[in-house]
Amino acid sequence: MDNVKDYTWIFGVGMVVAFMDAFGIGANDVANSFATSVSSNSLTMVQACVIACFTEFGGAVLLGANTAETIKGGILSVENFANQPSLLMLAMMCALIGSAVWVLTATKMGWPVSSTHSIVGAILGTGISAFGGNSITWGWDGVAQIIASWFISPVAAGVVSAIIYSITKYAILRRVESFKWAIRLIPFYFFFTAVIEAFYLIYKAPGADGDALSVGAVIGISIGVGVFFGLFCHFFFLVWAVRVIKGRETLRWYHIFVIHFVKKRPTVDELDVEKHSGSRTSSDGENGENGDAIEKTKGEENEIADVDAEPVQAGFFATKFAIYKKRTTDALMNGVRQDVRNLENEKLKDMHAGAEIFEDDAEYLFSFLQVITACMASFAHGSNDVSNAVGPISSIFEVWNSGVVDTEGTVPIPVWILVYGGIGIDIGLATMGYRIMRVMGNNITYFTPSRGFCAELATALTVLTCSKIGLPVSTTHCITGASAAIGLCNKNGYKTVNWKMIAWSFCSWFITLPCAGTLSGLIYAFCVHSPKNML
């Protein structure tokens, strides 16, 4: 049997490539969680990235181990590597290389591919290259289940989103005085959303074993959490919202928690009047002082010009430092300063014009719900898609650490590997996520806060459910299906959906599997059949 410690370099390379794969996942799949929130203007790009850094990381660390098991050993029959553990390390390294290269290339080109498909195809490619087609679990326990999820997830998410949005549209948005109806019904939306989120968090949290907590207990706790948030919405959030929206008071978000103790504040209109009147007064009063100010400035400039060479030298370095600091800041912040809403795109104006527009005040209330569902969807994304990167590297680490292949799948995923993958997702999200956000969101159909809320809630429900049963579905499929269904709910809905983008999305889902598989399979064959000894 091989001495796996001789192949420590595989573990080292695998760690680097796994981080690249996680980076690509964050850069490509981030649009699935936050593109609709940014497109509807519920969140800015900076806010979305800050929130996602916590939710993606939390989902990866807390819930990512379940789907990682499926990626790690549920596709390729690892028993074939039992007598040659080092070959399993090599196979998983090649799979990570193929997946990372494909996802990063697609992200650079702006193609919304599925990272789940990419790693599945890469593992299939290495398995076929190593042992032929018989080494792959083609049945329902492996590939068949994953392929079925490609069709089930967008349809399921689309049906759920259409139901939620239709209820919202007829119960609130199309009603006369829709803001009043929103005030009456929003607490139920808070309750419903909180129950769903609490149920999955409790049911899937580490240590929440079915023997310790029965399903009935989990449901009871979830309903209790939902009641709490529903009451909080009614007695705090709505009081704050009415004062902000109708009263136009200058309240901050943190006033929600103490709204009953906050006295009446100036309105936005009153502050505008004071600002303009103050500007006119100050301009009249400063006219007589302008001459003195100009003379003083000239005097200061002359003093600066008279300084000796040493201060000039110090100023030179300070200026250079400021220049490089600005360039570095611009480079680091480039990804979060991009405009991804596509509202000025001439090719999309006719499609956007066909979307039904509702009262702004009612839509504003859904902005807060959309932020909650965006966090939930992002948490679900972290729990599901982190497996794409950490599953293979977990297999490599297990073999390198123990020297044997875990054929039973009983070795748990180390927490530090989940943390490692979560960090990679966050960095990819903040630096290159805008490339995919541009082709999602308003590029598929016109999004408002109510539409975004329904699409994100349906996506989170679908992804979290599939994640619980260990089915590695793609968030891309779910949000695409939900977005198309939301667009179809408009009058003449077929005209308000970018079918070209939908078609390209479906095409990208299918080409990802063979592209990633071919690349990883060729790399594996090259490595295995290369000369062993050069001397």
Side-chain angles (χ1 to χ4, degrees):
M1 184 176 290
D2 295 336
N3 182 8
V4 294
K5 296 300 181 182
D6 294 337
Y7 301 97
T8 301
W9 66 271
I10 295 180
F11 174 59
V13 174
M15 287 293 293
V16 174
V17 182
F19 189 86
M20 293 172 57
D21 197 32
F23 180 93
I25 292 169
N28 203 294
D29 284 359
V30 65
N32 308 327
S33 300
F34 283 97
T36 53
S37 296
V38 176
S39 295
S40 65
N41 205 31
S42 294
L43 290 173
T44 64
M45 190 71 173
V46 175
Q47 291 170 337
C49 288
V50 171
I51 292 174
C53 282
F54 293 96
T55 54
E56 293 276 341
F57 182 82
V61 174
L62 295 178
L63 308 182
N66 199 25
T67 49
E69 289 289 347
T70 301
I71 293 294
K72 184 180 69 172
I75 301 169
L76 179 62
S77 299
V78 295
E79 290 86 354
N80 294 295
F81 297 96
N83 295 326
Q84 293 179 300
S86 59
L87 284 185
L88 177 61
M89 296 174 65
L90 179 63
M92 291 299 161
M93 183 193 73
C94 294
L96 284 171
I97 293 174
S99 175
V101 170
W102 172 250
V103 172
L104 289 174
T105 301
T107 302
K108 179 67 176 178
M109 302 301 294
W111 302 337
V113 300
S114 169
S115 60
T116 304
H117 290 188
S118 183
I119 192 63
V120 168
I123 293 177
L124 290 174
T126 55
I128 294 173
S129 178
F131 300 105
N134 293 331
S135 64
I136 304 299
T137 305
W138 296 102
W140 183 252
D141 293 333
V143 177
Q145 187 184 63
I146 295 171
I147 293 177
S149 72
W150 300 349
F151 302 95
I152 295 172
S153 53
V155 173
V159 170
V160 174
S161 64
I163 292 173
I164 297 174
Y165 179 66
S166 296
I167 293 173
T168 303
K169 181 170 66 174
Y170 291 107
I172 297 176
L173 300 175
R174 280 190 176 180
R175 302 289 290 265
V176 178
E177 297 182 333
S178 59
F179 179 75
K180 289 185 178 180
W181 281 98
I183 291 293
R184 295 167 184 167
L185 297 178
I186 282 294
F188 294 98
Y189 280 83
F190 269 83
F191 168 80
F192 181 67
T193 303
V195 167
I196 294 172
E197 187 167 2
F199 177 83
Y200 284 103
L201 290 182
I202 297 172
Y203 199 59
K204 287 198 61 180
D209 193 356
D211 296 333
L213 285 176
S214 65
V215 176
V218 174
I219 293 176
I221 295 173
S222 301
I223 292 176
V225 173
V227 170
F228 170 81
F229 278 98
L231 293 175
F232 177 83
C233 171
H234 180 77
F235 290 106
F236 291 90
F237 170 72
L238 290 182
V239 176
W240 175 88
V242 170
R243 290 177 61 174
V244 170
I245 297 173
K246 293 301 183 182
R248 295 181 60 81
E249 293 184 42
T250 54
L251 296 171
R252 301 294 185 181
W253 65 268
Y254 49 80
H255 288 142
I256 295 175
F257 305 98
V258 292
I259 189 62
H260 295 288
F261 303 98
V262 178
K263 296 181 180 180
K264 182 175 175 58
R265 297 172 64 89
T267 66
V268 176
D269 299 330
E270 291 172 351
L271 289 180
D272 288 341
V273 171
E274 292 178 3
K275 181 179 179 180
H276 291 304
S277 62
S279 299
R280 289 194 296 270
T281 303
S282 60
S283 62
D284 293 339
E286 290 175 358
N287 284 336
E289 302 176 0
N290 283 342
D292 295 338
I294 293 173
E295 291 297 328
K296 183 177 180 180
T297 303
K298 288 182 178 179
E300 292 173 350
E301 291 176 352
N302 291 333
E303 291 178 4
I304 294 174
D306 292 337
V307 295
D308 55 13
E310 184 174 349
V312 171
Q313 189 72 8
F316 170 80
F317 286 113
T319 302
K320 286 295 184 180
F321 176 77
I323 292 174
Y324 287 118
K325 179 181 178 182
K326 184 178 185 303
R327 290 178 180 176
T328 303
T329 303
D330 289 343
L332 294 175
M333 298 295 291
N334 178 65
V336 298
R337 291 176 175 173
Q338 302 292 326
D339 180 20
V340 298
R341 297 190 65 199
N342 285 322
L343 295 181
E344 304 300 325
N345 192 331
E346 294 292 334
K347 297 180 180 179
L348 301 176
K349 282 191 173 181
D350 290 340
M351 183 188 75
H352 290 171
E356 192 172 359
I357 304 300
F358 304 105
E359 184 182 352
D360 289 340
D361 291 344
E363 288 281 5
Y364 183 77
L365 291 177
F366 281 96
S367 296
F368 297 89
L369 273 171
Q370 190 179 11
V371 172
I372 296 175
T373 52
C375 294
M376 183 180 176
S378 179
F379 196 90
H381 175 267
S383 71
N384 187 72
D385 285 34
V386 70
S387 63
N388 301 336
V390 305
I393 192 60
S394 178
S395 288
I396 294 174
F397 174 72
E398 285 175 12
V399 174
W400 178 79
N401 188 50
S402 65
V404 297
V405 176
D406 177 27
T407 57
E408 301 297 328
T410 58
V411 179
I413 307 295
V415 175
W416 69 266
I417 290 183
L418 295 172
V419 171
Y420 186 69
I423 293 173
I425 289 176
D426 288 342
I427 295 176
L429 175 154
T431 53
M432 293 183 66
Y434 71 91
R435 293 180 179 271
I436 304 302
M437 281 193 179
R438 282 178 177 164
V439 299
M440 302 294 283
N442 285 334
N443 193 47
I444 295 179
T445 190
Y446 181 73
F447 272 99
T448 57
S450 61
R451 293 181 172 95
F453 158 72
C454 297
E456 290 171 359
L457 183 61
T459 298
L461 276 170
T462 305
V463 173
L464 281 172
T465 301
C466 294
S467 179
K468 175 57 188 174
I469 63 177
L471 180 63
V473 299
S474 172
T475 318
T476 305
H477 300 172
C478 294
I479 195 64
T480 302
S483 299
I486 293 292
L488 289 173
C489 288
N490 291 300
K491 187 178 181 180
N492 296 324
Y494 67 94
K495 295 182 179 180
T496 61
V497 177
N498 187 351
W499 294 109
K500 183 178 180 180
M501 186 63 218
I502 297 294
W504 169 242
S505 295
F506 272 96
C507 180
S508 69
W509 301 347
F510 290 110
I511 66 173
T512 293
L513 198 71
C515 287
T518 301
L519 181 60
S520 62
L522 290 175
I523 295 173
Y524 180 84
F526 175 81
C527 293
V528 168
H529 299 292
S530 61
K532 301 298 187 299
N533 297 308
M534 300 301 296
L535 297 177

